[in-house]
Amino acid sequence: MLAAGALGDAEALARDKTAFLARLESAWPGLERVAALREGLTGLIEDARRNERLLHAVRDGFAAARRRIEALEATRAGAVAYARDGSRITSPADACGRTKCA
């Protein structure tokens, strides 16, 4: 998905993985007698949680990059100014970066 550039699908994939993980964990009590299956499921659960963290990091990284590109475009368009003391008068994209909106 990431290699193909289908980034719009990341959030849906994360939701699907979260739902699958919940179903998998709810089945756990009935599987206690099957040690090999339990060990395999433990590995799958750990992998799913790691993948979920990675997908969240990718989503957050893309949002930060998008905000930075918007800020650069605003600067190039002359929409950003500087105060007398040299500090930057923030653009909406800069303000968004501080509040972590995407």
Side-chain angles (χ1 to χ4, degrees):
M1 176 190 73
L2 294 175
L7 305 176
D9 299 336
E11 201 155 336
L13 179 62
R15 277 194 306 272
D16 291 346
K17 285 183 169 275
T18 300
F20 178 73
L21 183 59
R23 286 195 315 270
L24 199 58
E25 288 176 328
S26 69
W28 192 261
L31 300 173
E32 290 178 359
R33 290 175 286 176
V34 185
L37 185 57
R38 184 177 180 182
E39 185 178 323
L41 287 175
T42 299
L44 283 174
I45 290 168
E46 290 169 2
D47 289 346
R49 286 191 176 135
R50 180 181 57 82
N51 287 342
E52 182 179 15
R53 286 190 305 273
L54 292 172
L55 285 171
H56 284 289
V58 167
R59 181 200 59 200
D60 294 346
F62 280 123
R66 183 177 57 244
R67 286 191 304 268
R68 183 67 183 132
I69 289 169
E70 289 170 355
L72 290 171
E73 288 173 347
T75 300
R76 286 189 189 130
V80 177
Y82 295 89
R84 289 182 184 183
D85 65 359
S87 63
R88 185 175 183 180
I89 299 171
T90 59
S91 69
D94 291 332
C96 188
R98 285 199 213 359
T99 61
K100 295 189 179 190
C101 18

